[in-house]
């Protein structure tokens, strides 16, 4: 059994035989459902360098010894600024870390420290204990999402941004569901701040019977 807990914004905790955090932005996150010091992790996956995604990754890695998986350039940037942490720098493609299959996949978005570009944005397809989870990161919809289903499907759970302004909104995310054909979908990256206000019920309606949409409040979880 794999348990997926929504920590608010784009942050998720995935717990099975290993503990994985994705984009653990908690400090300064108005929607945060946990404090960084409450979390344990073996691996921390980062989708891009924006502050609302790197978040507390370094602090959690220092305390727990978790390895940070990120795009090569972002991994180098983190190590240079935080000597002593362990990072695994990769790029779009598959790898395996501690028995977990991880595919870093494209995302249409920028990646920077707010000023200077650092690497590219990505999403991840993770297979933990036989369960396949896709975290899209921040992205617009793209037709190659079909490939993710062809290559790695069936995807058990897709975590998709719906907040608009910086990413897909409900309409684009519903199209993403059509392309990805996941079993279940959890919307994310909305209502954290006013510019990304969105109605998850509208998204659910647009998806219809194409997938099971599960709306999690920060702190809520589901089991796969
Ligand atoms: Ni971003
Ligand atoms: Mn973001």
């Amino acid at each position: 059994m794999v348990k997926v807990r929504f920590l608010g914004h784009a942050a998720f905790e995935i717990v099975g035989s290993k503990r994985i955090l994705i984009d653990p932005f908690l400090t300064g996150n108005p929607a945060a459902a946990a404090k960084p010091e409450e979390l344990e992790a073996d691996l921390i996956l980062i989708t891009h360098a924006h502050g609302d995604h790197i978040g507390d990754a370094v602090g959690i890695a220092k305390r727990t010894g978790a390895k940070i998986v990120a795009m090569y350039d972002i991994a180098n940037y983190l190590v240079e600024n935080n000597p002593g942490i362990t990072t695994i720098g990769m790029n779009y493609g598959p790898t395996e870390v501690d028995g977990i299959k991880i595919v870093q996949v494209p995302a249409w978005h920028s990646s920077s420290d707010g000023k200077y570009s650092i690497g590219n944005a990505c999403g991840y397809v993770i297979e933990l204990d036989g369960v396949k989870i896709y975290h899209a990161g921040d992205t617009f919809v793209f037709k190659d999402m079909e490939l993710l289903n062809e290559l790695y499907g069936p995807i058990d759970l897709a975590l998709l941004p719906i907040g608009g302004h910086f990413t897909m909104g409900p309409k684009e995310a519903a199209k993403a569901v059509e392309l990805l054909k996941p079993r279940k979908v959890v919307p994310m990256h909305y209502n954290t701040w006013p510019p990304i206000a969105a109605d998850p019920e509208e998204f659910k309606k647009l998806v219809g019977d194409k997938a099971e949409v599960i709306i999690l409040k920060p702190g809520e979880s589901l089991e796969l």
Side-chain angles (χ1 to χ4, degrees):
M1 187 199 76
V2 171
K3 191 173 172 183
V4 179
R5 179 159 66 123
F6 182 39
L7 299 175
H9 197 55
F12 287 86
E13 177 190 56
I14 299 169
V15 181
S17 57
K18 299 274 181 189
R19 304 180 74 96
I20 303 170
L21 291 171
I22 307 179
D23 287 354
F25 164 54
L26 304 160
T27 305
N29 175 357
K35 294 194 172 104
E37 57 270 26
E38 294 166 356
L39 298 172
E40 296 299 325
D42 298 300
L43 283 184
I44 303 171
L45 273 51
I46 301 297
T47 61
H48 61 294
H50 290 154
D52 60 320
H53 296 264
I54 286 185
D56 296 285
V58 168
I60 296 169
K62 279 184 178 164
R63 180 175 50 80
T64 62
K67 297 169 191 161
I68 296 180
V69 177
M71 186 158 280
Y72 178 75
D73 321 78
I74 297 170
N76 285 353
Y77 165 85
L78 289 174
V79 169
E80 202 175 295
N81 291 295
N82 307 279
I85 62 166
T86 305
T87 59
I88 298 169
M90 62 182 298
N91 215 307
Y92 302 136
T95 190
E96 195 168 317
V97 181
D98 299 339
I100 306 163
K101 286 182 190 157
I102 297 172
V103 190
Q104 194 175 78
V105 301
W108 280 108
H109 191 71
S110 61
S111 177
S112 75
D113 59 6
K115 191 172 178 187
Y116 297 107
S117 287
I118 307 169
N120 289 327
C122 72
Y124 290 97
V125 179
I126 309 155
E127 187 176 339
L128 178 66
D129 305 339
V131 174
K132 291 175 184 168
I133 299 171
Y134 168 53
H135 187 297
D138 283 1
T139 189
F140 190 71
V141 63
F142 51 93
K143 196 81 184 334
D144 283 353
M145 282 177 172
E146 274 177 350
L147 267 184
L148 303 185
N149 176 47
E150 271 180 49
L151 288 167
Y152 314 116
I155 293 165
D156 295 295
L157 173 66
L159 310 170
L160 302 179
I162 66 157
H165 194 81
F166 300 109
T167 68
M168 301 187 280
K171 179 182 173 180
E172 294 79 14
K175 175 53 80 172
V177 172
E178 235 178 271
L179 300 167
L180 291 160
K181 298 183 171 55
R183 293 190 165 120
K184 296 173 197 264
V185 185
V186 170
M188 63 168 180
H189 210 278
Y190 67 98
N191 290 351
T192 317
W193 301 285
I196 58 170
D199 180 5
E201 294 294 346
E202 183 199 341
F203 170 64
K204 191 172 184 166
K205 221 166 118 184
L206 290 168
V207 170
D209 59 6
K210 291 188 193 81
E212 184 189 352
V213 175
I214 301 163
I215 298 167
L216 295 179
K217 293 193 183 84
E220 290 182 342
S221 49
L222 63 87
E223 288 172 2
L224 295 161

